[in-house]
Amino acid sequence: MIRHKVSYFLSIAVVLVLLFFFPKPILLAVLLLEIALPLLALILLRMDIAAMTLSLQAPVTSNVNAPLALDIAYKAKRPLFSVSAVEMTLEMQNLLFHTQEERWLRIGLSSRKSSHVEFTPDMCGEWFIRASGVQCLDVFGFCAAAVPCELFCRVKVMPEQNDITIMTDQASRAKPEVGSFRVYQKGNDTAEVFELREYQEGDELKAIHWKLTSKMDRLIVREYSDSTRYDTIVLYDIALKANGEDVDKTLLSTSIGAVESLSRALVRAGIPHMAAFVFQSRIISAPIASEADAAEFLYTLLSYPLAENSGIACQFFLAGQIQQNYESMVYFTIHSFPKELALIPADVNLDAVVVTDKDGVPVVTQPARAKVLVEVPVTYLRKNRSFRIIL
């Protein structure tokens, strides 16, 4: 583009010199044509933009630390006369970790009608990718015109998986009690509506009561009762900070990889359970009765921003905002155990797991009756990809 501009101004300078020494009408016509060339290029450029559409596509899912290919393509109703390249800024926002990065791109338009751009996400979570400041350049590099379009896509970047083995002789403690029901417990049993409320972020679209929504001019959601009882809850307390200190993003991403593995290991050990985490002022929970449920729960967790500080899940449990009285709790956190953990009632069988930034091997302690604390160094987890927990 720079060479084109240099050649253009040199040619104008040459014509001006020739016109000064040889004032001929043909030289004047050439000069006027050269001066009008940028205006003509701009007109053709705007016509091309009106006749073309751009799109941004990406895989639905990918893996952390694996190349992610973005496909930027265009379609045109007719051959393009002036457009040669597209410039844009890619804004890549990780919703889970509250981070954002930008990348400037210039893509040459060719007969292939598409270009591939790769970037390697170093953190898991749901990535929202948006193109801003999109503009097209003409073949001479004289003009640039904005493209009135919105390009965006979402990608779920999955964490590296770990393999956790649960060793327990208490598998029967978490099995649903035959014939028991959880009275006034909100859940997923569509046979009975528990209550109606306004839509909140994260609610499923299938739960929307469309008839009432149309009458009340706002989204109304059905909330159902749940007739299944679980005696065990797995409370995931993963946050950006622990005890006021920022947690390393690599530690966070590796720890999230253990979420599905932990719930899957409990199911394999014969312990169906409720899995839960805190989003803002809400408890997001789901029953885990199969390995598929564990995978779906991780998929859900990746869609919500992490809490600012760890310990909030303990606070919710202590405040009674998790409605059922559970006999057993598996508590999973990172960096260090929060002080709130010591306030869990003694009659709750507590098994707490923390992934730390220390070196070494997993350490198991039992500070009190019915309480087991397991510290797992992240270096051990990355190296071995598996560890055992004895409950």
Side-chain angles (χ1 to χ4, degrees):
M1 296 296 180
I2 295 177
R3 287 183 300 174
H4 291 160
K5 289 182 179 179
V6 171
S7 300
Y8 172 73
F9 288 113
L10 281 176
S11 66
I12 288 183
V14 169
V15 172
L16 283 173
V17 171
L18 291 174
L19 188 62
F20 180 78
F21 289 103
F22 308 101
K24 301 289 184 180
I26 189 170
L27 291 176
L28 180 60
V30 170
L31 179 62
L32 293 176
L33 181 62
E34 287 188 331
I35 293 174
L37 188 58
L39 179 60
L40 178 62
L42 179 60
I43 293 173
L44 291 176
L45 183 64
R46 293 190 180 279
M47 292 174 61
D48 285 348
I49 291 174
M52 65 183 291
T53 56
L54 291 170
S55 64
L56 173 63
Q57 297 179 339
V60 176
T61 61
S62 183
N63 294 316
V64 69
N65 295 323
L68 174 62
L70 303 177
D71 184 42
I72 301 172
Y74 76 92
K75 294 181 181 179
K77 300 176 183 178
R78 55 168 177 77
L80 303 180
F81 301 121
S82 183
V83 174
S84 65
V86 175
E87 290 182 346
M88 65 183 68
T89 299
L90 280 184
E91 300 174 354
M92 295 170 285
Q93 182 181 10
N94 186 304
L95 304 180
L96 183 71
F97 289 92
H98 312 192
T99 61
Q100 182 171 318
E101 55 184 277
E102 293 184 352
R103 179 179 297 185
W104 181 82
L105 292 177
R106 172 180 283 178
I107 302 168
L109 299 185
S110 65
S111 58
R112 293 177 301 175
K113 295 189 176 182
S114 66
S115 297
H116 297 281
V117 179
E118 284 191 353
F119 87 101
T120 302
D122 57 353
M123 293 178 289
C124 63
E126 186 167 25
W127 287 78
F128 181 79
I129 303 171
R130 185 175 74 92
S132 63
V134 183
Q135 61 179 6
C136 288
L137 306 178
D138 71 286
V139 291
F140 301 108
F142 295 143
C143 310
V147 180
C149 66
E150 290 187 5
L151 306 179
F152 60 88
C153 60
R154 289 176 180 262
V155 183
K156 282 279 180 67
V157 177
M158 308 304 292
E160 294 179 345
Q161 295 295 298
N162 306 290
D163 185 18
I164 300 175
T165 301
I166 300 292
M167 305 292 290
T168 178
D169 58 359
Q170 306 177 60
S172 60
R173 71 182 182 180
K175 292 181 180 179
E177 297 178 6
V178 178
S180 66
F181 294 90
R182 190 184 311 166
V183 181
Y184 302 125
Q185 180 65 34
K186 302 172 187 177
N188 299 312
D189 182 7
T190 56
E192 179 184 355
V193 176
F194 180 83
E195 65 177 22
L196 299 171
R197 59 171 175 79
E198 288 194 34
Y199 176 87
Q200 297 177 353
E201 184 178 353
D203 289 334
E204 296 183 358
L205 293 179
K206 65 181 181 181
I208 296 177
H209 194 303
W210 292 109
K211 185 176 291 187
L212 277 180
T213 295
S214 62
K215 292 180 179 179
M216 302 183 68
D217 200 26
R218 64 181 187 274
L219 290 176
I220 303 298
V221 175
R222 298 183 181 95
E223 196 156 47
Y224 302 106
S225 64
D226 186 357
S227 60
T228 306
R229 174 186 171 89
Y230 292 103
D231 294 330
T232 297
I233 182 171
V234 181
L235 202 54
Y236 293 102
D237 197 354
I238 304 174
L240 299 174
K241 293 183 178 181
N243 295 326
E245 299 180 9
D246 290 332
V247 179
D248 179 71
K249 297 296 190 294
T250 306
L251 171 62
L252 278 170
S253 193
T254 303
S255 303
I256 291 171
V259 167
E260 179 184 348
S261 301
L262 180 55
S263 282
R264 189 173 60 232
L266 286 166
V267 170
R268 287 175 179 173
I271 308 177
H273 55 279
M274 290 294 294
F277 64 92
V278 174
F279 168 67
Q280 295 180 354
S281 59
R282 296 177 55 204
I283 291 286
I284 308 297
S285 61
I288 310 295
S290 66
E291 295 187 35
D293 291 340
E296 185 175 349
F297 180 77
L298 173 63
Y299 203 79
T300 301
L301 186 148
L302 295 175
S303 304
Y304 289 87
L306 290 175
E308 288 292 333
N309 294 285
S310 63
I312 186 68
C314 268
Q315 295 173 17
F316 270 60
F317 185 84
L318 293 169
Q321 291 176 272
I322 300 177
Q323 294 184 5
Q324 182 177 349
N325 293 323
Y326 293 94
E327 296 179 5
S328 302
M329 176 194 291
V330 179
Y331 177 81
F332 184 91
T333 190
I334 53 164
H335 192 272
S336 59
F337 290 120
K339 58 185 180 181
E340 291 87 355
L341 196 64
L343 302 177
I344 299 296
D347 58 348
V348 176
N349 291 309
L350 174 65
D351 299 286
V353 181
V354 60
V355 179
T356 71
D357 54 5
K358 301 176 183 177
D359 294 324
V361 297
V363 177
V364 180
T365 58
Q366 190 167 0
R369 185 183 67 81
K371 288 189 179 182
V372 176
L373 307 182
V374 184
E375 293 188 30
V376 183
V378 69
T379 52
Y380 178 91
L381 192 57
R382 291 186 193 131
K383 180 180 179 181
N384 295 273
R385 292 290 170 207
S386 64
F387 63 93
R388 291 186 176 187
I389 301 176
I390 301 177
L391 304 182

